[in-house]
Amino acid sequence: MIILIFQVINHGISQTVMDRAVEVASDFFKLPSETKQEFASDDIRRPVRYGTSSKDGTRPSRAFLKHYAHPLSEWMKYWPEQPPTYREDMGKISAEVRRVALQLMEAILEGLGLGKDYQHEEFERGLQLLQVNCYPKEPESESAIGLAPHSDHGFLTILLASCPGLEVLDRSSDTWRVVQQPRHALHVHVGDYMEVLSNGRVKTVVHRAVLNPGEARISMASIHSFAMHEKVSVAKKLVDEQDPEKYKESSFSDFLDYLMSNADKKRMSFLESLRI
Ligand SMILES: O=C(O)CCC(=O)C(=O)O
Ligand SMILES: [Fe+2]
């Protein structure tokens, strides 16, 4: 079993681009509620979506803004126009992070023995979903979860955060490990589609976010997968008699359908629903 959680430092993204993205995200969440509510929707197929979640039903534990980021020319027109530099600053970081994601993907595919150009076209025209999160400072004497345990649906998630708060599940000891987030580092982990493509050799990473006692926290998760209707399936080279195909094929659109049909049940994760 391969665990893929790591951090990249020599990624070539300037500190200014990273800082501006975090800053503009933080400024977005400081906007008046009415401005943010314009983006509020329960329709998960909307190109931009704002929302908040709360653990105790009163105090929000997380606010989020989700939108697509690739191709930029197609999606940027839906992005917030406030703060005034939102589109420019988020556009820059999105394009840079995507470049890093494609490079990492090639290395991972090579490591799996599939060759770096495996499904190259599909990755090139793949989706990039940006999930921008804002967590309040942890209330005194109360340790609190900002985002419940989950795995991401895509192949690869690249995460940038203003301070620590991310924890990943260590499957061998069933304990949560705190992820250090040095200033210039990008945190990388794999999602459900990497487990599918690798026929289970690589495991999806279960993670959560806890509130930081010292300060409010901004995180930006960039999730990379294939285009909306492109099916992700097990790589045939990784299937043989000992290792039969373990997952059904599915697309991002199937994932959205699953979320909608399963909105209040949440008994089974999407990945579990794909197991053969
Ligand atoms: O805020 C974090 O550290 C994690 C965010 C995350 O897991 C997500 O947006 O999917
Ligand atoms: Fe996540």
Side-chain angles (χ1 to χ4, degrees):
M1 180 167 89
I2 303 165
I3 309 287
L4 276 176
I5 307 169
F6 53 91
Q7 297 194 335
V8 190
I9 44 174
N10 285 324
H11 43 62
I13 307 179
S14 82
Q15 190 61 50
T16 313
V17 168
M18 292 170 73
D19 291 346
R20 286 204 178 131
V22 168
E23 206 169 308
V24 86
S26 169
D27 289 345
F28 172 82
F29 290 107
K30 287 180 195 147
L31 290 173
S33 180
E34 313 85 77
T35 314
K36 293 180 287 191
Q37 287 300 334
E38 281 172 34
F39 297 98
S41 171
D42 288 333
D43 178 2
I44 58 174
R45 286 187 182 267
R46 284 279 287 269
V48 181
R49 229 156 46 87
Y50 167 79
T52 57
S53 53
S54 165
K55 289 283 158 305
D56 58 9
T58 54
R59 224 176 10 228
S61 50
R62 169 187 176 236
F64 64 83
L65 183 69
K66 297 184 190 192
H67 55 67
Y68 297 103
H70 181 80
L72 272 176
S73 55
E74 189 178 327
W75 300 114
M76 206 190 246
K77 57 178 176 282
Y78 300 108
W79 292 6
E81 286 182 289
Q82 291 294 330
T85 62
Y86 187 89
R87 292 183 178 185
E88 185 187 338
D89 294 341
M90 281 300 175
K92 273 193 191 146
I93 192 88
S94 302
E96 294 271 323
V97 165
R98 182 164 184 275
R99 172 183 57 75
V100 175
L102 291 177
Q103 261 178 302
L104 292 173
M105 203 58 222
E106 287 189 354
I108 294 169
L109 292 169
E110 196 149 29
L112 284 170
L114 298 170
K116 72 176 177 54
D117 292 326
Y118 182 77
Q119 295 205 291
H120 183 77
E121 299 282 294
E122 287 86 342
F123 283 107
E124 274 293 328
R125 46 168 196 261
L127 272 182
Q128 176 181 16
L129 181 68
L130 216 61
Q131 211 146 275
V132 189
N133 304 297
C134 176
Y135 305 93
K137 182 172 150 181
E138 177 184 87
E140 257 167 58
S141 70
E142 211 183 299
S143 76
I145 302 293
L147 179 56
H150 67 281
S151 61
D152 298 333
H153 70 269
F155 291 102
L156 212 58
T157 298
I158 299 193
L159 192 103
L160 171 68
S162 61
C163 61
L166 176 67
E167 297 186 346
V168 297
L169 183 67
D170 181 341
R171 288 171 185 262
S172 59
S173 59
D174 209 23
T175 54
W176 291 100
R177 298 276 190 97
V178 176
V179 173
Q180 297 305 323
Q181 305 202 270
R183 195 163 121 84
H184 193 57
L186 293 174
H187 167 87
V188 184
H189 61 231
V190 295
D192 297 352
Y193 279 157
M194 192 69 90
E195 182 162 333
V196 171
L197 180 123
S198 69
N199 204 20
R201 281 177 174 69
V202 182
K203 291 285 178 235
T204 194
V205 172
V206 175
H207 56 285
R208 66 178 187 183
V210 298
L211 303 188
N212 189 301
E215 54 188 308
R217 176 169 180 265
I218 295 289
S219 75
M220 283 174 46
S222 178
I223 298 177
H224 302 264
S225 49
F226 282 171
M228 187 61 85
H229 298 286
E230 194 105 57
K231 299 279 186 191
V232 176
S233 55
V234 171
K236 297 294 168 277
K237 215 177 159 181
L238 303 177
V239 175
D240 57 28
E241 266 172 32
Q242 267 93 55
D243 255 328
E245 197 162 323
K246 296 194 181 84
Y247 306 87
K248 288 179 270 191
E249 64 169 22
S250 71
S251 65
F252 183 67
S253 181
D254 297 333
F255 166 67
L256 294 180
D257 287 345
Y258 182 81
L259 284 189
M260 279 191 291
S261 66
N262 222 36
D264 24 69
K265 302 180 215 127
K266 282 194 181 153
R267 272 173 291 128
M268 208 200 278
S269 73
F270 178 59
L271 184 62
E272 282 169 59
S273 79
L274 297 178
R275 287 221 168 88
I276 295 175

